[in-house]
Amino acid sequence: MPPAAQDPELEQLEIDLLLEAVYRRYGFDFRQYAQASLKRRLWRRLLAEGLSSISELQAKLLHDPPCMERLLLDLSINVTAMFRDPSFYVAFRDKIVPALHTYPFTRIWCAGCSTGEEVYSLAILLQEEGLYDRTRIYATDINEAVLATARDGVFPIAKMQQYTQNYIKAGGRREFSDYYVAAYEAAQFSRSLTENVVFAQHNLATDRSFNQFNVIVCRNVMIYFDKTLQNRVHALFYESLDTFGILSLGHKESLSFTPFVDKYEQLDEVERIYRKID
């Protein structure tokens, strides 16, 4: 943690300068991330690098790209699991799948996909609902390192017991082990699950819309953004959704108190699923 004697105003100035420098040098914009969480992660990286001040961390970041890669892993929130929050997938089957059956082809954006567990979960669900062959999933994240893990589809075998329980609670219709091959300490998921997936780097803080979507899934990502950045991302999602397109947020997120609250109808209050109507 930062030294107790650190002047708060000086510390904030140093953090602001570091974030501005990172944005100008690498194009990654963390200037509107929630400050408390951001500050913790910066100090964690500072101490791991054996440095003693934010200004020292800034200097190293600008001259040592591998250090920037390590910080990017720290700042990218990669808390995920297969069929995490199983009730969401139950709601997806009940509230979203019937609408998708009315389209000849479906485009789904999984924004902030991290290491890909949510992408594979959606692919499995869509296969079981007979929709996968006419669906394209766009899986994006700011962090190329976690995207590489997502593309590989290899996850620790030790997690399969919990993932199996999640899958069953999510309404899974087969044996979960049908979707992967176990080898040593790893589980390799079927390549068929990524045949219709496009993995790509995308920065929600700075990048623009790149397609029109029937569904956008972005769960528990914006809780790490400040209000200004949250509204910026909501504008991006609104622009990217077709009319009657569906937006899925996390349990701790909501459209309430955003400029877009009247532009959607609520499909599921608990699971934060909304349909664009305006």
Side-chain angles (χ1 to χ4, degrees):
M1 293 299 292
Q6 179 84 11
D7 180 275
E9 291 186 3
L10 177 59
E11 179 189 33
Q12 187 59 55
L13 176 60
E14 290 181 343
I15 289 174
D16 291 343
L17 290 172
L18 180 149
L19 297 177
E20 186 68 28
V22 165
Y23 176 62
R24 292 178 180 272
R25 172 71 170 83
Y26 296 102
F28 295 118
D29 192 351
F30 295 101
R31 294 172 297 179
Q32 293 177 315
Y33 274 50
Q35 284 297 304
S37 175
L38 179 66
K39 189 180 298 185
R40 286 195 302 272
R41 287 170 170 77
L42 287 175
W43 275 96
R44 187 180 305 155
R45 175 48 43 199
L46 183 158
L47 296 174
E49 299 292 332
L51 305 174
S52 60
S53 71
I54 294 291
S55 59
E56 287 184 15
L57 178 60
Q58 176 181 325
K60 185 167 186 179
L61 288 170
L62 295 182
H63 298 95
D64 184 4
C67 180
M68 182 63 224
E69 293 177 9
R70 294 189 290 273
L71 177 63
L72 192 58
L73 286 171
D74 294 335
L75 296 181
S76 302
I77 312 302
N78 301 308
V79 180
T80 186
M82 297 282 285
F83 292 96
R84 184 185 183 193
D85 300 326
S87 58
F88 165 74
Y89 293 91
V90 173
F92 194 103
R93 291 183 192 269
D94 292 344
K95 306 289 178 64
I96 300 177
V97 163
L100 300 187
H101 275 295
T102 67
Y103 299 124
F105 188 80
T106 299
R107 292 179 300 275
I108 298 176
W109 181 10
C110 185
C113 71
S114 186
T115 45
E117 286 88 339
E118 188 166 56
V119 178
Y120 287 87
S121 301
L122 287 171
I124 289 170
L125 184 155
L126 292 166
Q127 274 197 3
E128 294 182 353
E129 296 293 340
L131 287 165
Y132 186 75
D133 288 343
R134 50 191 175 101
T135 299
R136 181 65 51 84
I137 302 174
Y138 295 81
T140 67
D141 199 275
I142 190 176
N143 190 331
E144 185 58 47
V146 300
L147 285 172
T149 298
R151 290 188 188 96
D152 290 341
V154 178
F155 304 106
I157 194 69
K159 294 185 177 181
M160 291 306 110
Q161 182 176 359
Q162 181 60 57
Y163 290 179
T164 299
Q165 294 175 4
N166 289 351
Y167 169 73
I168 293 170
K169 293 177 182 177
R173 297 174 181 171
R174 296 173 57 182
E175 293 292 330
F176 187 59
S177 57
D178 290 347
Y179 294 105
Y180 66 86
V181 175
Y184 302 102
E185 300 300 315
Q188 169 72 67
F189 276 78
S190 171
R191 283 290 158 212
S192 67
L193 296 174
T194 54
E195 287 178 353
N196 293 349
V197 178
V198 176
F199 291 101
Q201 191 173 40
H202 184 275
N203 187 342
L204 290 172
T206 57
D207 293 341
R208 302 175 66 179
S209 176
F210 59 93
N211 211 326
Q212 289 296 116
F213 298 96
N214 305 107
V215 179
I216 295 176
V217 178
C218 185
R219 302 173 61 234
N220 303 312
V221 174
M222 284 188 282
I223 56 175
Y224 301 102
F225 300 166
D226 71 10
K227 194 66 177 176
T228 300
L229 183 52
Q230 287 177 14
N231 286 340
R232 193 265 182 197
V233 176
H234 277 301
L236 174 67
F237 289 163
Y238 181 77
E239 177 186 356
S240 301
L241 274 174
D242 284 336
T243 301
F244 305 123
I246 295 172
L247 175 64
S248 300
L249 303 177
H251 286 164
K252 296 180 181 179
E253 298 162 326
S254 174
L255 283 173
S256 300
F257 309 111
T258 75
F260 299 91
V261 64
D262 295 327
K263 299 181 182 296
Y264 293 84
E265 65 173 335
Q266 187 170 263
L267 296 183
D268 192 300
E269 180 180 5
V270 174
E271 302 302 331
R272 303 293 199 270
I273 299 175
Y274 307 88
R275 178 188 285 128
K276 178 178 175 179
I277 56 175
D278 187 354

